[in-house]
Amino acid sequence: MRRSDLERRVTLAATGSAVTLEMVAQEAGVSPSTVSRILNGTARVRESKVRAVNAAISKLQFMPNPVARSLAGGKSMSVGVVIQTLDSPFYGGALAAIEKGLMRASYSGLFVSGHWRESDERRCIDHLLSRRVEGIILVTSCLPDQEIVHLSRTVPVVLTGRSVVGERIYSVDVDSTQGARLATDYLIGQGHDRIAYIAGPVDHPDAIQRMSGYKASLAAHRIPFSKKLVSVGDYSDAGGHAAMVRLLDAGEKFTAVFAANDQSAYGAMLALYRRGVKVPQDVSVVGFDDLLTSAFTIPPLTTVHRSIDGIGECAAEAMIDLIAGRAPVAKVSSATLAIRESTRPIRA
Amino acid sequence: MRRSDLERRVTLAATGSAVTLEMVAQEAGVSPSTVSRILNGTARVRESKVRAVNAAISKLQFMPNPVARSLAGGKSMSVGVVIQTLDSPFYGGALAAIEKGLMRASYSGLFVSGHWRESDERRCIDHLLSRRVEGIILVTSCLPDQEIVHLSRTVPVVLTGRSVVGERIYSVDVDSTQGARLATDYLIGQGHDRIAYIAGPVDHPDAIQRMSGYKASLAAHRIPFSKKLVSVGDYSDAGGHAAMVRLLDAGEKFTAVFAANDQSAYGAMLALYRRGVKVPQDVSVVGFDDLLTSAFTIPPLTTVHRSIDGIGECAAEAMIDLIAGRAPVAKVSSATLAIRESTRPIRA
DNA sequence: GAATATTTTGAAAGCGCTTGCAGAACGTAG
DNA sequence: CTACGTTCTGCAAGCGCTTTCAAAATATTC
């Protein structure tokens, strides 16, 4: 025996269950292989033995050791999830949904955050790979396409918020363009034609989509696009605030603002409030994401709603499919507009 | 060979790195044991061999397989984190910090959410145990003390937001009482004496602390406590909103409100706004938690600040200590008040 | 320089499970 | 009843690493 009895006992306690498959086999009077086969359904086994083994399992309260299982079978039953930041309500929701979807297939998620930094993201991926995850879900990754394609040669990849094509890649693309279009259309429908836009980070694929939705809507309604009405934020409250301040300082007139995400909208609304500009009386504000809190801002925010849960679960399911070698079936619902109190028709 | 070459190649690809410790040993001209020893620093090894091995490692780009490591060494280098909900900004922050702290000791976190349900929480714990986590961090668990003590016989436990004593239990207790006291004291210092309180769930240990801090402050300033000024919420925006509506409908007068957490405060402020009550002109509002967004509400919220990051990192460090068999050293900074624009001195 | 104390090292036995292979058990046909 | 085809089932060889034990190499002492 390698370890002293005491040590061993401690380890056993520390690992939860000391019951091994071998003990089950012995108890049931069959060989370990048989137990394994019953556990995994890898072969037909005589009914009587199945019963004996099941009895032994519940009697001994056996729980297969996933670590050993991974080592022997080469699969870890876990998938890595790279998220940019855990402390945003938006990503929190996505995470919760992914966890749920993964759990359902009895997979575990290893969550790590990349902080919007390519280098961090790479490190995270390495970490996950070293943990032998069976797949990686990239939630709004900031890595270049090519690198993602490369990664997909090692493990299946699911990514959200952007679209990359590849054999073992699945993009849960939420088509932000359409959502942005929806928001802008609505504003225009309410009579606004000087609509400011608070953009997301310029190099962010998702932000680019949103911007283009905004532009497309303007174009469709023959409203000229003006650079002066665009102020770049960074998807954060603070960024939205600063962007609005810049807009206000520039003195350009507008009756509505479309912010690339809810958090930017929060910041923008605060800046407006500080300058004594009333929402929605003087300026209408529309956000994007429909965070849980957005129904409770002052005033409650009109915003583009996408089912974060839906996206997360879809990503998880797609990953399970990919791992199983099946082609995932797409089915993300499109964006809708949650109309609340931060917008109103422009007065004639 | 057990698998066909093709299969094997696929598996290798799927697991990231095909380089094994044995290959390194061969390359360096030493035995696997030696490589292992160098990797883990478990014994002195001749300098020349160390160099050879390191060279081989970097040449082959070897990454030790944590799965094999776990199986052989009995440790999984991962700790389980049970959180109630991922989509609250508060918990998100805690999570991020825990992840960071764990990562620093090259541990991974397995995050699962219990949804405030005892049964879910138990299931999560079982899941984590079956994954052979080396410890479990319970973020505001709703399990009874006794069950936690029991769990600690299996793995070390760190818990936040409440205090349970036990040999392998460490409570990162944040003493919400003091924070609540701070907030109420401040309001009183500003001349308020009719201070409403929006409580958290009545059976929540943390909520009980906050409530008692509120009461203690009143008592210390000889202000009678009135049940009529207390309205129970559930820590959510919606709950805070409802609680405030009830308060307003009851017609009880107050010049300030202290909400048990920021989200309740958001809801309360919205209810106030809807009734045309101005914050802070008519009523001052104080929250608790200092969520990232709280600096961007309208008006920016005065709130009790506790370093969520600090708590999370502290929990992670304590867990590492516990796993290593060391006694964790406590060091959570106490709460402070972030004074912003939702409060003001009462006019005489 | 022999004898002894130390430090390094390698061989080998696992960790708990999966799985290829071949033998055992059963069934069926001749 | 023998021969042959099917199912079952057990044996044993790993998965990649850690660790014990004892042998090998080196250092120390007289």
Side-chain angles (χ1 to χ4, degrees), chain A residues 20-21 33 36 40 62 65 68-69 72:
Chain A
T20 72
L21 177 146
S33 346
S36 169
N40 301 289
F62 169 70
N65 179 334
R69 227 168 177 170

Side-chain angles (χ1 to χ4, degrees), chain B residues 46-58:
Chain B
R46 194 177 311 285
E47 182 58 31
S48 62
K49 303 209 172 185
V50 173
R51 265 199 304 278
V53 168
N54 282 330
I57 287 179
S58 55

Side-chain angles (χ1 to χ4, degrees), chain B residues 199-211:
Chain B
V202 285
D203 53 345
H204 198 298
D206 194 56
I208 293 169
Q209 284 187 12
R210 294 180 191 196
M211 170 78 117

Side-chain angles (χ1 to χ4, degrees), chain B residues 71-86:
Chain B
L71 186 56
K75 34 210 283 103
S76 61
M77 295 306 282
S78 66
V79 339
V81 181
V82 179
I83 204 145
Q84 297 311 323
T85 163
L86 255 359

Side-chain angles (χ1 to χ4, degrees), chain B residues 171-192:
Chain B
S171 309
V172 182
D173 199 5
V174 280
D175 193 13
S176 297
T177 317
Q178 183 247 337
R181 172 87 203 248
L182 202 62
T184 317
D185 282 355
Y186 175 72
L187 249 15
I188 295 174
Q190 298 281 300
H192 298 275

Side-chain angles (χ1 to χ4, degrees), chain A residues 6-331:
Chain A
L6 178 63
E7 268 179 313
R8 176 151 177 79
R9 219 175 309 124
V10 169
T11 304
L12 292 183
T15 52
S17 142
V19 192
T20 72
L21 177 146
E22 202 169 345
M23 297 166 68
V24 172
Q26 190 145 38
E27 172 78 25
V30 299
S31 79
S33 346
T34 302
V35 178
S36 169
R37 283 192 269 255
I38 292 175
L39 241 41
N40 301 289
T42 11
R44 285 200 62 75
V45 173
R46 192 176 312 283
E47 182 60 30
S48 62
K49 303 209 171 186
V50 173
R51 264 200 303 280
V53 168
N54 281 331
I57 287 179
S58 55
K59 174 174 173 196
L60 266 44
Q61 295 226 59
F62 169 70
M63 277 171 121
N65 179 334
V67 174
R69 227 168 177 170
S70 305
L71 186 57
K75 35 209 285 103
S76 61
M77 296 303 281
S78 65
V79 340
V81 181
V82 180
I83 204 144
Q84 296 311 324
T85 163
L86 254 0
D87 47 16
S88 123
F90 179 72
Y91 292 112
L95 225 63
I98 292 178
E99 184 215 341
K100 193 167 141 206
L102 249 28
M103 197 83 153
R104 202 156 37 209
S106 68
Y107 266 77
S108 284
L110 244 47
F111 301 98
V112 289
S113 37
H115 312 109
W116 304 110
R117 250 174 269 129
E118 283 196 27
S119 57
D120 277 24
E121 200 169 331
R122 285 199 193 90
R123 207 154 34 71
C124 284
I125 291 179
D126 276 350
H127 175 83
L128 292 174
L129 250 24
S130 84
R131 286 256 166 192
R132 302 304 197 265
V133 293
E134 290 181 55
I136 292 188
I137 299 180
L138 260 20
V139 179
T140 47
S141 163
C142 45
L143 255 26
D145 281 20
Q146 182 235 325
E147 223 167 307
I148 293 178
V149 172
H150 182 261
L151 172 62
S152 78
R153 281 205 283 271
T154 306
V155 286
V157 176
V158 166
L159 56 170
T160 74
R162 61 192 276 190
S163 162
V164 174
V165 294
E167 207 190 331
R168 295 204 300 168
I169 302 183
Y170 180 78
S171 308
V172 181
D173 199 3
V174 280
D175 194 12
S176 296
T177 316
Q178 182 248 336
R181 172 89 202 245
L182 201 62
T184 318
D185 283 355
Y186 175 71
L187 251 13
I188 296 174
Q190 297 282 300
H192 298 274
D193 60 358
R194 295 201 56 79
I195 303 171
Y197 180 64
I198 295 186
V202 286
D203 53 345
H204 198 298
D206 192 59
I208 293 169
Q209 283 189 11
R210 294 179 191 196
M211 171 79 117
S212 75
Y214 164 75
K215 285 185 180 168
S217 171
L218 291 183
H221 294 88
R222 306 181 176 275
I223 296 174
F225 165 78
S226 160
K227 254 195 174 160
K228 293 187 182 154
L229 283 174
V230 174
S231 186
V232 177
D234 59 0
Y235 275 165
S236 75
D237 322 62
H241 185 271
M244 177 52 81
V245 166
R246 258 180 277 121
L247 221 42
L248 256 14
D249 286 345
E252 204 71 12
K253 290 271 169 274
F254 53 88
T255 61
V257 191
F258 173 35
N261 75 345
D262 281 4
Q263 282 175 278
S264 301
Y266 297 170
M269 289 207 289
L270 179 59
L272 255 11
Y273 166 82
R274 288 241 164 91
R275 296 286 176 103
V277 180
K278 298 255 181 296
V279 175
Q281 292 83 343
D282 303 326
V283 165
S284 289
V285 177
V286 176
F288 197 120
D289 278 346
D290 196 12
L291 300 185
L292 255 27
T293 303
S294 294
F296 292 91
T297 53
I298 295 178
L301 188 67
T302 295
T303 182
V304 177
H305 174 95
R306 299 175 302 164
S307 164
I308 302 183
D309 288 7
I311 296 169
E313 283 190 56
C314 177
E317 274 170 36
M319 178 47 79
I320 302 294
D321 282 343
L322 241 28
I323 289 175
R326 294 187 296 263
V329 281
K331 58 161 182 340

